[in-house]
Amino acid sequence: MTFPVFKLEEYFTHYEFSAPYLLCCSDAQTLSVSELVALADDECRDKWERLSLGYTEVSGSPSLRQDIAARYHGLRAENIVCFAGAEEGIFTVFSSLLRKGDHVIVITPCYQSLRDIPRTLGCDVTSIDLLEEEKWQVDVVKIKHHLRDNTRLVIINTPHNPTGQMMDQESLKTLINMLRTHGTYLFSDEVYFHLGPSDTQWSSQVAEMYERGISLNVMSKAYGLAGLRIGWIATQDKEILQKCVYFKHYTTICNAAPSEILAQIALRAHKTILQRNNHIIDKNLELFEAFLEKYKNLFSWIKPKGSCTGFVHYYGHESVDDFAKRLVQKNGVLLLPGSIYDAGDRYFRVGFGRKNFSDGLSRLENFLAEGGR
Ligand SMILES: Cc1ncc(COP(=O)(O)O)c(C=O)c1O
């Protein structure tokens, strides 16, 4: 198997630790270990202080899985398997579920591995493009049109990276009813779940709704704890869970013991952490909407409904790639061009989950004022 270069990871390798103003991050504001441990309940603080550093259980510790399951209606610890981040979850599920020649439908633009792992495994992959003129909404009728007898898997991402749009409960129900009649699995990348404007109305998660549904989530995005590398899948399908555990024996075997406890602390403090992160988003969205109003001849977007990213249309005379390159070189502000998603040269991703968003935005304004448009 030869995987194509992961464009987004390659781009970030180049700039993430050198550009001073990251205006395109897809995760919420992080916490230091001491800030996080200060939120621990007595049980977790005790576990943290007495932690020994041996191997942990392959699926994830039962108490961590129980705390994760508590974030889903009707699921229990045995419905969860943990991974090193969401990325290992994607790789493991697809490798366990898919065979060469299987038909797979994926909504694009998307986080590259959602499309390119099935492709690399030799699957026949149909991409369905989201369109700005359809407000970046998933059209269930288009999925129906592409479904075949051998469609093994449909892959969605809601809230969606990069557009921040979400599927509502009704569309999810319609999609699931359609897939049920075909026996098709539904992989729902929900890594931005519970992250977004404070007044967001959240739908159900796919693992709660569908017996062949697999929900993917992680501590990286809503909790801002990417450094823990704790992700998971949730599903009612015990056979898939078992297959994933067998596969994990060949990848990371188990999670890092300190990360498991720190993830539990965060999950138990979910109200405090999510409220903090979603307030940062409220504030940054307000700033960015004012910015867009001021520069409406140059930029527009379909306002994101969830997550901390949005896809901005750029109307300047050059390509977004050239614009972004000049911006980072001159003013140190990083945007993520749509070409990273194979989505042409008119869009860029903006990320508004971080506290220092306004600093990056001011630098972008300076760049425009200095004639950088
Ligand atoms: C939609 C989506 N899925 C999965 C991932 C991978 O998450 P992690 O880095 O926590 O493994 C990302 C990261 O950006 C993402 O945006």
Side-chain angles (χ1 to χ4, degrees):
M1 281 193 295
T2 309
F3 289 94
V5 168
F6 202 126
K7 291 185 185 176
L8 182 145
E9 299 301 344
E10 181 65 12
Y11 187 79
F12 275 112
T13 302
H14 201 70
Y15 290 114
E16 187 174 4
F17 299 102
S18 57
Y21 302 96
L22 304 177
L23 212 57
C24 58
C25 293
S26 66
D27 50 358
Q29 182 70 32
T30 196
L31 293 163
S32 67
V33 174
S34 52
E35 283 171 323
L36 181 56
V37 171
L39 298 174
D41 60 17
D42 290 346
E43 188 194 343
C44 283
R45 183 168 298 107
D46 187 50
K47 274 194 197 176
W48 177 244
E49 281 163 6
R50 289 187 304 104
L51 176 69
S52 58
L53 294 172
Y55 282 107
T56 62
E57 291 190 37
V58 178
S59 308
S61 80
S63 60
L64 169 61
R65 287 185 290 126
Q66 206 171 335
D67 286 341
I68 293 170
R71 307 294 294 135
Y72 297 84
H73 292 293
L75 297 192
R76 303 213 306 240
E78 59 262 34
N79 298 110
I80 311 293
V81 175
C82 296
F83 297 102
E87 182 71 317
E88 191 194 15
I90 296 172
F91 188 63
T92 302
V93 171
F94 294 175
S95 302
S96 307
L97 195 64
L98 299 174
R99 292 289 162 267
K100 195 173 174 187
D102 283 344
H103 181 237
V104 173
I105 297 176
V106 60
I107 305 298
T108 48
C110 66
Y111 189 65
Q112 193 175 331
S113 42
L114 297 176
R115 183 197 64 197
D116 283 357
I117 293 177
R119 271 189 188 166
T120 306
L121 292 169
C123 298
D124 179 2
V125 178
T126 301
S127 300
I128 300 179
D129 282 337
L130 299 174
L131 302 172
E132 187 185 15
E133 54 269 31
E134 294 174 4
K135 297 191 161 37
W136 305 117
Q137 292 301 309
V138 173
D139 183 345
V140 178
V141 177
K142 284 188 195 164
I143 299 182
K144 184 174 185 185
H145 176 74
H146 287 287
L147 269 181
R148 302 181 197 158
D149 289 340
N150 72 336
T151 306
R152 177 86 165 145
L153 183 66
V154 169
I155 300 165
I156 57 173
N157 168 213
T158 179
H160 177 249
N161 171 3
T163 65
Q165 301 305 316
M166 297 203 288
M167 287 186 75
D168 61 26
Q169 187 83 4
E170 278 315 301
S171 317
L172 280 171
K173 269 194 203 157
T174 312
L175 175 62
I176 287 169
N177 286 338
M178 239 163 60
L179 300 188
R180 192 173 269 129
T181 60
H182 280 73
T184 300
Y185 288 94
L186 178 59
F187 184 87
S188 179
D189 181 328
E190 295 164 358
V191 300
Y192 300 100
F193 223 81
H194 294 138
L195 182 67
S198 300
D199 58 359
T200 303
Q201 296 296 316
W202 293 98
S203 66
S204 303
Q205 298 165 92
V206 156
E208 301 163 336
M209 300 175 74
Y210 183 33
E211 61 285 359
R212 289 187 170 213
I214 303 155
S215 290
L216 175 79
N217 214 326
V218 74
M219 298 308 295
S220 309
K221 307 298 181 183
Y223 293 84
L225 299 173
L228 296 183
R229 309 312 297 141
I230 295 281
W232 62 88
I233 57 160
T235 178
Q236 299 169 35
D237 190 316
K238 298 278 167 63
E239 202 183 316
I240 291 185
L241 289 163
Q242 186 58 62
K243 280 186 180 166
C244 287
V245 168
Y246 289 152
F247 194 85
K248 193 179 169 187
H249 290 150
Y250 284 97
T251 54
T252 55
I253 302 177
C254 66
N255 293 100
S259 293
E260 288 201 333
I261 309 284
L262 293 171
Q264 273 195 274
I265 295 173
L267 286 163
R268 290 184 186 188
H270 64 266
K271 279 208 182 94
T272 309
I273 298 176
L274 296 177
Q275 209 172 58
R276 177 199 78 145
N277 292 348
N278 291 339
H279 276 147
I280 294 174
I281 287 175
D282 291 340
K283 213 170 117 231
N284 289 342
L285 269 176
E286 223 177 283
L287 287 177
F288 198 61
E289 290 257 273
F291 169 87
L292 289 177
E293 182 55 31
K294 190 163 165 193
Y295 293 96
K296 60 181 169 216
N297 293 337
L298 208 51
F299 307 109
S300 72
W301 75 351
I302 311 287
K303 189 177 175 186
K305 297 200 172 70
S307 87
C308 62
T309 70
F311 217 29
V312 178
H313 196 140
Y314 172 63
Y315 300 102
H317 54 83
E318 67 201 319
S319 71
V320 159
D321 299 72
D322 289 343
F323 175 69
K325 198 166 179 183
R326 286 194 303 113
L327 176 65
V328 72
Q329 282 173 352
K330 189 157 180 286
N331 286 34
V333 177
L334 190 68
L335 301 175
L336 184 70
S339 57
I340 298 292
Y341 293 89
D342 298 327
D345 66 1
R346 300 319 311 165
Y347 300 97
F348 62 85
R349 181 177 91 184
V350 67
F352 43 85
R354 302 271 181 98
K355 269 188 190 159
N356 64 355
F357 179 79
S358 61
D359 298 338
L361 198 59
S362 309
R363 302 283 295 201
L364 170 56
E365 282 217 64
N366 291 344
F367 177 77
L368 296 173
E370 288 155 10
R373 56 181 73 187

